[in-house]
Structures are given as structure tokens and as C-alpha cells.
Amino acid sequence: ASTHPSEMTGDGLQAWIELKRPTLSESLTEAEIGDVEAAVVVAKEAEEAGQDAGEALVARGVVTETQWVSMLAARLDLPVATVDSAAVAADAAARVPEKLARRHNVLPFKLVQNRIYFAMSNPLDATAIGELAEECGAIGLMVASAPSIRRSLDRTYDALTSAQAAIDAFGLMDDSGDFEAGSSRAVVDESSPIVQVVRQIITQGVRKRASDIHIEALEDAVRVRYRIDGALTEAIRLPAKMASPIASRIKVLADLNIVERRRPQDGQFSIEVDARPIDIRTSVVNTIHGEKVVLRLLDKTQSIIGLENLGMPADVVQRYLSVVDVPVGMFLCTGPTGSGKTTSLYATLTEIQDDTRNVVTIEDPVEYEFAGINQMQVHEAGGFTFADGLRGTLRQDPDVILVGEI
């Protein structure tokens, strides 16, 4: 039985929304936040833009994530869901479709006496609560930050688990037929098993925050590995006969020649994952067991990390800045794939960029866009190389030049 207004069915939605509670301004004042009026403006602008108010306040440095969650829980008289440290109840997650949970960024946290308790960053979202109550019946509300909910959703709903149905469907296809003969249909038809498997591989890579995805044709299987924090970890093994159709599907996406298998090919395409635009660089090479595909994932929605957050000791940061601030000379940033070269250079640009300097970058591809910086995209197929960009830039009175590759 319900013991709190936040424990409801669809009939109790309006009563919950209309409960008398402290205003945001009053809660911020009680929490002893410095500039309350400015904070209220930030929250209002975020809500009008369809963004999470708490996330906006944290990004502006008005409050910490922990402060916001505690303040929201006190304001709404709701418990806090410790989604980062506690596992989601499997029976609760099984009752809630992933699309519904991600659409409203809510987490089915636990199931108690047939009531699903949802962790929400905005427990006053009437649309979300209405859809959750319609889908699940009896629900309860809890509080958590928007980023922590997204992280937990990525752990809870594994895209590769849902890919199993498509893998099984592929296994039921006619083994006697030539898969390549029908590849033009199989790799384009959005309902085909191959298209779904490729989509789920990329989706899980993005959710795992992988920098690269390796899809390798072995003698008896197709191995999929993600590079996360610099290390490759195996994610799944697929039937060996899926190797060629998967490579063909990715070639179609990257506008490569699906017939050419002897020479290496490079391409690029874009895809949307969880409403985030992802740019993907593609490299395909032939091996003795088939083609190997490597996908470099570039999420342009991720914010640039500052130098202070790269893990450098404070004294090292000072010495580093003293080097990059020198007006003449060359600074090399080297390291293996996924080691953080681009992240470090972009963090450096944020430190040295100001209106007194003409900063130019030559990149392939442009991973993040900076306001006030002239960024050039290399296009070798069109005849514009790094050398061409550098030669042209030197005639543009530059103060700082970032060259992606030498």
C-alpha cells in the first residue's frame, strides 16, 4: 500500500505535482548557495532549453552534484537512490523497456511489493511519471543526478545482450547460400540481423566510452573488443561466418568499396546513439582469416577536459604551461592509440587561446569545435593534405598551429 504521495499509480499523478513544497530559490537559500538569483536564472534557462537544471548548475560550478541531489531530495521529501554504488534490481529493470527509461533518463532502481521505484533527476516531470505509471502500474520516486542515472543505465541495459536475438536470427539463415551474393540487401536492410548486430556493437561501444572498436576475423569466430581507458577488453565473440557481412555493412556506412578486399581502406560516417551524434573513423584491412575493422569513436557532445583534470600533478601542470606558452618552438605530443594525445592537446588549447593569438589547427578529423579557433579539416581524397594545410597556414600570420599528424 502507498505510504507517501510519491508512491502512486497514474491516478495520483496530479496530486503529487500539486503538493505544496519549497521553491527552488528557498532551497538554494537554505543550502547557503552564494548567488541565489543567478542560480535560479541558470536553472530556468536550462529547463526552457529542455536540459536538466541540476546538471546545468553543476556545470556552472554553482553546486556540486552531491549538493544538488541532497537539496532536491530534501525539497521534494524523497529518498536518494545510490545508483553509482548499488546495483539495480534485475527484476525491476526487466519490467521497464530500455527505450522508455532512456527517453526520460530514469532508472528502474528496485522492486518492492510489485511497485517499481524509479531514480529520477526531475521527479516533477509529469510526462515522464505519467508514461512510467501507464507502463508499470504502481511506481515510487527517488532522486539521483542525471549523469549518475545515465551511467547506471549503460551498465543496466547491455546492448550486446539484446543483439543475441539478431545473432540467432543470422544463424538460422540458409547456410548453403552465398552470403556475399545477397550482401547488398543484407547490409542495407535496416531489419536484417547484420545491420542490427553492427548497430548494437557500436551502441555498446559508445555507452562503454570506448575510444576504439576492434572487429577481428579469427579462424573460428569474430572477436569484438573495446579499447577503454587505453586497454583492449573482449566484449563478445560472434560466429565466423558473420565476419564478411559485418565488414560489408561497415563499408556501406563509410561509403567504401565492398568488393575491394586486398587493399586497406579508410572512411568515415556518422551515427546517432542515445540521441548523441557520434562521428566514426573507419579502417579496414585484410588478414589471413578475413577483414579486420577498427572504428574510432568521436563523441562531440563530450565536454573538453581541462588540464587540471588530466591527472597531472600541479607542479607538472605549471612546468607544462611554461613550455607551451613559449612564443617560438615546437611541442610534440606522442603516444599509442587511445593514450590521450588529442585530449591533452585540446585541453592545452583551452589554456592558451585568447583574443591576442591567432590559433589554427589542421586535423583529420576535427573532433571538437572551439569558439574563436580556426580549425581546418584535412581531406586527402579531395587533394587537401596536412602538408597543404601547413603551407597555407604559414601565410596566415599564425601564433599557434596544432598539426594533427606529422
Side-chain angles (χ1 to χ4, degrees):
S2 174
T3 59
H4 191 274
S6 65
E7 298 176 336
M8 69 184 90
T9 60
D11 296 336
L13 170 58
Q14 200 58 36
W16 163 249
I17 296 297
E18 293 176 353
L19 273 179
K20 185 174 178 58
R21 48 178 64 92
T23 64
L24 176 59
S25 177
E26 291 170 341
S27 295
L28 289 167
T29 301
E30 186 176 342
E32 299 182 348
I33 301 302
D35 192 340
V36 173
E37 289 186 9
V40 171
V41 170
V42 170
K44 184 177 180 180
E45 289 176 349
E47 290 173 349
E48 289 175 351
Q51 300 169 349
D52 184 81
E55 204 165 2
L57 290 169
V58 172
R60 295 284 188 91
V62 177
V63 295
T64 66
E65 191 171 293
T66 302
Q67 283 177 321
W68 171 254
V69 170
S70 298
M71 186 178 68
L72 188 62
R75 179 186 173 209
L76 302 180
D77 188 25
L78 292 176
V80 173
T82 54
V83 299
D84 276 331
S85 58
V88 170
D91 50 0
R95 295 193 181 192
V96 182
E98 179 181 359
K99 286 185 178 180
L100 177 61
R102 289 191 181 277
R103 183 163 66 247
H104 297 298
N105 196 42
V106 299
L107 181 71
F109 188 63
K110 63 180 181 179
L111 178 66
V112 179
Q113 294 181 348
N114 215 34
R115 183 186 301 276
I116 299 178
Y117 287 80
F118 288 92
M120 303 181 67
S121 61
N122 181 13
L124 296 179
D125 184 342
T127 301
I129 295 171
E131 290 189 23
L132 294 173
E134 182 178 354
E135 175 73 28
C136 307
I139 65 171
L141 306 182
M142 304 178 75
V143 175
S145 69
S148 67
I149 290 173
R150 284 195 293 270
R151 289 191 294 268
S152 191
L153 283 173
D154 290 344
R155 294 191 300 268
T156 302
Y157 295 103
D158 190 318
L160 295 182
T161 300
S162 59
Q164 189 59 49
I167 297 169
D168 294 341
F170 183 88
L172 295 175
M173 294 173 67
D174 184 7
D175 289 337
S176 64
D178 183 0
F179 285 108
E180 293 308 305
S183 64
S184 60
R185 181 193 63 79
V187 300
V188 175
D189 184 357
E190 292 295 326
S191 64
S192 73
I194 285 297
V195 171
Q196 293 179 40
V197 168
V198 170
R199 173 79 192 194
Q200 299 296 352
I201 288 172
I202 296 174
T203 296
Q204 186 65 8
V206 172
R207 291 177 182 173
K208 290 283 189 181
R209 294 170 175 78
S211 61
D212 302 86
I213 302 175
H214 291 240
I215 304 173
E216 304 158 304
L218 307 180
E219 184 177 7
D220 57 353
V222 177
R223 179 173 61 180
V224 178
R225 294 190 291 173
Y226 296 137
R227 185 177 295 280
I228 302 172
D229 296 332
L232 279 172
T233 57
E234 184 169 325
I236 193 172
R237 289 202 175 208
L238 306 171
K241 64 182 180 180
M242 296 185 78
S244 186
I246 286 176
S248 294
R249 170 58 181 171
I250 293 172
K251 286 180 180 179
V252 168
L253 290 171
D255 197 23
L256 302 178
N257 185 348
I258 66 172
V259 178
E260 176 60 68
R261 293 192 180 87
R262 294 172 297 176
R263 298 177 181 176
Q265 296 189 73
D266 297 318
Q268 188 172 343
F269 64 95
S270 298
I271 193 172
E272 193 171 275
V273 176
D274 298 334
R276 291 148 56 193
I278 307 296
D279 285 347
I280 300 177
R281 278 190 286 175
T282 308
S283 173
V284 184
V285 299
N286 196 31
T287 68
I288 59 173
H289 296 302
E291 291 175 294
K292 175 180 177 178
V293 180
V294 175
L295 306 176
R296 165 62 60 88
L297 306 180
L298 308 173
D299 185 352
K300 292 190 173 183
T301 64
Q302 290 185 350
S303 58
I304 302 298
I305 298 175
L307 280 177
E308 68 279 3
N309 297 320
L310 288 181
M312 294 185 191
D315 60 324
V316 175
V317 171
Q318 292 303 316
R319 292 203 303 271
Y320 178 81
L321 287 175
S322 69
V323 172
V324 297
D325 274 334
V326 174
V328 179
M330 181 169 65
F331 181 87
L332 294 181
C333 183
T334 64
T337 298
S339 60
K341 299 184 295 296
T342 301
T343 300
S344 299
L345 288 173
Y346 277 0
T348 305
L349 284 183
T350 63
E351 296 289 339
I352 66 173
Q353 161 63 4
D354 59 47
D355 292 338
T356 67
R357 287 172 167 159
N358 176 22
V359 181
V360 182
T361 74
I362 309 167
E363 307 174 64
D364 184 22
V366 173
E367 298 187 20
Y368 299 95
E369 295 183 11
F370 289 85
I373 291 181
N374 303 290
Q375 296 174 269
M376 303 167 66
Q377 170 71 60
V378 168
H379 185 46
E380 295 196 3
F384 181 67
T385 64
F386 280 102
D388 295 325
L390 185 57
R391 190 160 45 247
T393 299
L394 291 174
R395 302 188 184 100
Q396 292 279 314
D397 184 31
D399 292 299
V400 178
I401 307 174
L402 185 154
V403 182
E405 296 177 16
I406 60 173

